Each structure stands twice: as C-alpha cells, then as structure tokens.
C-alpha cells in the first residue's frame, strides 16, 4: 500500500528558493537573458543541465563568433567564456548539473525574492521544479525565461531505409566526440545535409585526418551560410552534391557504405540514379528542432512553422510571465543574433517581474494583432503584436531567390513594400515594422497583418 503520510512529508520537505526571474538554460541565450535581467535589478537564477555554463558553444571551437556583439572574431568557447565571466561577476545564482522537470503557475499573491509576501496582483508566480545533485528543488519567480536551445533531427525522423549499424551520428554529436571527448568517430565519412554544422564538420573531419567523401544535399541549393560553403568545402576540395540524398544505409555491425540517389523537383528519388559510396561513417546535418517539451508542459502555445513558442514583441508567450528566446524560439543563424534577442527577453522578463505588465505596456498603447507569413516567407516572428510601437519582425524564406520584396498587408490593403533584393534560406532576416503601420492596420479594423515575401520578375 502507498503511504500517503510519507508522500506528503516528502513533498513538504522540498526546498524552495525565491527569485524574480528564473532562466532555464545556461547557453548563450540563457546567459544573455540572465545578465540583462540582472542589469534591470532583478534577482536571477540560471538552471543548466550540464556541469558547465556555455551550452553548445563549448564544442564549437571554430572562429566566426562575436563579430557583431564584441566587434572581434572569437571561437565558440571564447565567446561563451566572456559571458561566463560576466555571470560569475554578479550575484546571479547558477544551478548546474540540474534538470528541470516541470514549470507550474499559480495566480494571486507571491513571495518576493526577499521572502516577503506582497499584496495580490495580476502577476502569476511560477514554480520551476528541478532535480539537482542534492535532490529535488523548487525555484519560484514571477517571470521565467525559456532558453533551452534546440536538438538535432535524427535518422529516425527523416526515415532513411537500410540496416542499423554503428557509425551513424548527428553532426553535433560527432563534433562533441572530436572537440570535447577526443574521440574519432570514423575514418571515411559521408555527410548528409549542408546546414552550417554539417559544413563545419566536413572541414573538422578533414583536419582530423578523416576522409570526407562528399556532402549530399536534398535541396537544389546549400542550406548553410555562403561563407561556410567557401571556407569549409571549397577551400578543402570537398565536393557538394545538390539534389541528392542518402536512400539506404549498408552494413551489419558497422556502416560499410551508403546508397545515394538524385531527386526530382518533388524531392523524390529518381530511379536509376542510385550509386554506392563506400564509407564507415554517416553524419547527419538535417535540421534543428527547438527543445520545447517543458514549454508544452507549461501550457505554452507553439507555432507549427517554427516549432517554437508564439510570442509578442516583448518575447512573452501566451502564458503571462513566461518568455522565450534563442534557438528554443526559432533557429538562428548566428550566436550574436541569439545574444541580442535574449537580452531583450531578459529585460522584458525583469520588467514584468518587478512591475507587473509594465514591460509590455510602456512601449505604447495596447492592441491585439496576429502576424502571418505568406509568399515564400517560411515564418514570421513575433506571432502577436500587442503594443503600437516599432517592432522588429524576423523571418526566413523557404527557398533562395535573386529578386523579391517584403510586403506588409492588412486585409486587402498593402501597408508597406520594401526594396527588391535577394533572399536566402540560410540567413535569418529582420524587418522593422513602424508603429504607424501597426496603427493603420488597427484603423482598418483587421485582426491580422501578413508579412509576404514575393518574388519579382526581372525585366
């Protein structure tokens, strides 16, 4: 029989600590958000499941970070260390080697970070439950920032046929093996997918003496940044095969070869184009997925296009007091952009925690508009506009185009049209939406504005 008294005692014995803002994730997004919230005089905690702060940047030993934020080129660990040093110089409380298992919300009065009960108000008290090396712990805060990052898509998610031998890795796992664990994943590799991590690992494997037979990309264009295609493939003589994919994994105990096939305009393999490529390792760079299991458990609505949270201009989700930033919100191209976005989220979270809705309402009068993508725009963020103020819209296109323009549409009226220019899926675009355009949309009585990227036929 279950001992209810013992169970009640166990729950009652869980230690609780109070903060203004609790940040989940200690990578570049989490640290930037925490530092920004701390700068706004909030008492902040960071929860990180690894034993160290830094997140994925600890294994990204290549240069290219910090050009925007620090105005100099840094490696991933150098970029992360600058933020780690800043966090250590504050009274931000880090909870390392700790796994968050749930986020609960309670309406009404909440204890402040100093432990004093304050008068009831609209701000919800959120409880973050985590397992730490010392046992279960609960952190309370009026605001929570979700900064859990993203994970890699695996073989099972893209359904590659064939046997199941050893030697199939995601590119990020192979990167960790080489750069942190000092392990060699194989001797002869094929890379599927031309995302940035796949391109970077093609170069890294080559430098470690691993022969890279080629990078194979399903789409008719490379998915990584142009500089990575040049620096990682062209400079090392590694071939890039477009409109080609892996259609079978061959091998018993270890990968012995893969079958690759060309694909048609519908991305279906073309019969008769199959060929066998001998290798002992297959690295997958086939996309990233925001890590949002905790978000869903907290009642946060997700955008089916980004698989991240639906947020407003302050990066607040539909659950009051819960904010999202970085790759858990939408997959970014550059760590510098993650930092900039996360600083906004941290400042907004602190404003919310210390002053109710002050952070959201200070920018201007309230409104309620949804933002939807159209044309070749794959998504638009934020998904909601709740204040009449200058708003930064982020988006990506679904395919490269040499000439297109951004249009803002409300109902049947075009409110704004940008200049004609090229767009690439590998680049996260931003577009400033003036307050007067939002006001015009409200004046039309619409509840939705559309961000459309439309190709332009050149004369």
């Amino acid at each position: 029989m279950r001992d209810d008294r013992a169970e009640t005692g166990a729950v009652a014995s869980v230690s609780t600590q109070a903060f203004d803002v609790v940040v989940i994730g200690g990578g570049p997004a989490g640290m930037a958000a925490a530092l920004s919230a701390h700068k706004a005089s909030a008492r902040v905690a960071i929860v990180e499941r690894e034993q160290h702060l830094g997140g994925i940047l600890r294994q990204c030993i290549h240069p290219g970070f910090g050009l925007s934020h620090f105005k100099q080129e840094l490696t991933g660990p150098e970029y992360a260390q600058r933020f780690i040093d800043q966090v250590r110089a504050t009274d931000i409380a880090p909870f390392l080697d700790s796994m968050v298992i749930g986020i609960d919300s309670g309406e009404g009065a909440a204890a402040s970070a100093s432990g004093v009960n304050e008068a009831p108000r609209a701000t919800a008290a959120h409880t973050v439950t985590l397992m730490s090396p010392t046992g279960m712990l609960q952190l309370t805060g009026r605001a929570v920032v979700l900064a859990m990052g993203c994970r890699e898509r695996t073989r099972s998610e893209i359904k590659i046929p064939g046997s199941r031998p050893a030697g199939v890795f995601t590119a990020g796992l192979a990167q960790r093996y080489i750069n942190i664990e000092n392990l060699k994943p194989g001797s002869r590799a094929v890379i599927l997918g031309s995302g940035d991590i796949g391109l970077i690992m093609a170069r890294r494997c080559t430098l470690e003496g691993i022969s890279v037979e080629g990078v194979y990309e399903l789409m008719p264009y490379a998915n990584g940044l142009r500089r990575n295609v040049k620096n990682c493939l062209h400079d090392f003589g590694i071939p890039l095969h477009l409109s080609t994919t892996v259609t079978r994994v061959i091998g018993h105990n270890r990968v012995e070869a893969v079958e690759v096939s060309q694909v048609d305009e519908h991305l279906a393999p073309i019969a008769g184009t199959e060929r066998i490529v001998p290798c002992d390792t297959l690295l997958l760079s086939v996309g990233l997925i925001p890590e949002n299991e905790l978000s869903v458990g907290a009642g946060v609505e997700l955008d089916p296009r980004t698989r991240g949270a639906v947020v407003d201009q302050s990066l607040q989700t539909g659950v009051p007091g819960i904010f999202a930033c970085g790759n858990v919100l939408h997959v970014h191209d550059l760590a510098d952009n993650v930092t900039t976005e996360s600083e906004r989220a941290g400042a907004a979270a602190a404003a919310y925690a210390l002053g109710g809705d002050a952070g959201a309402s200070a920018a201007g009068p309230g409104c309620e508009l949804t933002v939807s993508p159209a044309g070749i725009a794959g998504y638009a963020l934020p998904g909601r506009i709740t204040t009449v103020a200058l708003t930064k819209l982020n988006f990506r296109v679904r395919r490269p185009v040499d000439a297109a323009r951004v249009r803002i549409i409300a109902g049947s009226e075009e409110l704004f049209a940008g200049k004609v220019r090229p767009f690439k899926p590998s680049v996260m675009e931003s577009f400033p939406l003036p307050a007067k355009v939002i006001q015009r949309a409200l004046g039309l009585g619409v509840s939705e504005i559309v961000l459309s990227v439309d190709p332009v036929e050149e004369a």
Side-chain angles (χ1 to χ4, degrees):
M1 293 179 62
R2 187 175 63 181
D3 189 338
D4 291 336
R5 290 174 299 177
E7 194 170 277
T8 302
V11 173
S13 66
V14 174
S15 176
T16 301
Q17 297 185 37
F19 296 89
D20 296 314
V21 178
V22 178
V23 179
I24 303 176
M31 290 191 290
L35 287 165
S36 182
H38 180 269
K39 186 177 180 181
S41 301
R43 187 177 178 211
V44 184
I46 299 179
V47 185
E48 168 57 47
R49 65 186 176 189
E50 298 290 336
Q51 297 179 356
H52 310 275
L53 293 174
I56 196 67
L57 293 188
R58 295 179 58 243
Q59 68 186 53
C60 299
I61 66 172
H62 51 277
F65 299 89
L67 292 169
S68 172
H69 191 77
F70 292 113
K71 309 304 180 188
Q72 63 182 117
E73 189 173 43
L74 304 170
T75 64
E78 289 172 333
Y79 187 88
Q81 192 62 47
R82 294 203 176 190
F83 287 98
I84 293 170
D85 292 342
Q86 291 178 48
V87 169
R88 287 175 176 169
T90 69
D91 61 356
I92 294 172
F95 293 85
L96 304 179
D97 202 13
S98 300
M99 175 70 75
V100 174
I101 57 178
I103 306 170
D104 298 313
S105 302
E107 301 294 335
S112 70
S114 61
V116 179
N117 287 332
E118 298 182 355
R121 62 181 186 176
T123 308
H126 299 284
T127 300
V128 176
T129 303
L130 56 98
M131 289 299 299
S132 73
T134 59
M136 185 177 288
L137 180 64
Q138 291 184 330
L139 309 181
T140 62
R142 292 198 178 98
V144 172
V145 180
L146 305 173
M148 294 89 70
C150 57
R151 60 180 173 84
E152 296 177 279
R153 294 178 72 197
T154 63
R155 175 184 176 181
S156 63
E157 289 176 294
I158 60 174
K159 299 178 173 60
I160 302 176
S163 55
R164 300 179 61 83
V168 180
F169 306 92
T170 61
L173 177 59
Q175 184 184 54
R176 181 182 178 91
Y177 280 165
I178 293 173
N179 294 346
I180 293 184
E181 309 294 344
N182 196 30
L183 298 172
K184 186 178 178 182
S187 299
R188 193 176 186 184
V190 164
I191 298 177
L192 176 60
S194 62
D196 288 312
I197 181 62
L199 301 176
I200 289 165
M201 282 309 296
R203 176 179 63 184
R204 190 75 183 103
C205 287
T206 301
L207 291 172
E208 288 298 323
I210 301 171
S211 173
V212 178
E213 299 301 307
V215 175
Y216 295 83
E217 171 56 54
L218 177 72
M219 305 303 291
Y221 51 84
N223 272 305
L225 296 172
R226 176 180 292 179
R227 73 181 191 196
N228 285 333
V229 174
K230 178 189 179 300
N231 295 343
C232 300
L233 298 189
H234 296 168
D235 288 358
F236 287 83
I238 300 170
L240 172 62
H241 305 273
L242 301 176
S243 297
T244 310
T245 191
V246 173
T247 47
R248 185 162 56 104
V249 176
I250 302 167
H252 182 59
N253 293 325
R254 177 80 189 196
V255 173
E256 298 170 7
V258 295
E259 177 190 85
V260 298
S261 304
Q262 296 177 22
V263 299
D264 59 22
E265 64 272 18
H266 304 294
L267 307 182
I270 301 172
T273 63
E274 304 90 347
R275 63 186 179 90
I276 303 300
V277 180
C279 62
D280 64 7
T281 305
L282 173 63
L283 302 187
L284 304 177
S285 176
V286 290
L288 301 170
I289 301 172
E291 194 81 76
N292 269 303
E293 286 74 15
L294 283 174
S295 310
V296 172
V300 172
E301 178 191 359
L302 300 187
D303 184 331
R305 301 178 186 91
T306 62
R307 298 178 75 166
V310 177
V311 297
D312 61 16
Q313 294 111 308
S314 65
L315 303 176
Q316 183 172 213
T317 69
V319 179
I322 296 184
F323 299 76
C325 59
N327 283 345
V328 79
L329 179 59
H330 60 134
V331 176
H332 289 62
D333 50 358
L334 302 173
D336 297 66
N337 291 335
V338 168
T339 297
T340 301
E341 179 179 274
S342 301
E343 289 175 339
R344 289 173 47 215
Y352 181 92
L354 299 175
D357 288 328
S361 61
C367 66
E368 188 62 49
L369 290 170
T370 60
V371 182
S372 301
I376 62 171
Y379 70 87
L381 190 142
R384 295 183 296 120
I385 292 179
T386 55
T387 58
V388 180
L390 177 65
T391 298
K392 180 181 179 181
L393 296 178
N394 290 119
F395 66 94
R396 284 185 192 258
V397 294
R398 294 195 305 270
R399 61 179 176 85
V401 62
D402 292 329
R405 64 159 49 96
V406 177
R407 299 168 62 229
I408 303 297
I409 303 166
S412 59
E413 185 171 335
E414 180 182 274
L415 304 182
F416 190 87
K419 295 180 179 178
V420 176
R421 64 182 184 85
F423 292 89
K424 288 182 171 28
S426 58
V427 178
M428 188 182 78
E429 304 281 355
S430 64
F431 181 83
L433 185 66
K436 64 181 181 181
V437 174
I438 299 173
Q439 193 63 61
R440 281 181 60 193
L442 293 172
L444 294 173
V446 299
S447 60
E448 176 190 53
I449 62 173
V450 175
L451 183 151
S452 183
V453 181
D454 301 318
V456 175
E457 294 292 336
E458 295 181 318

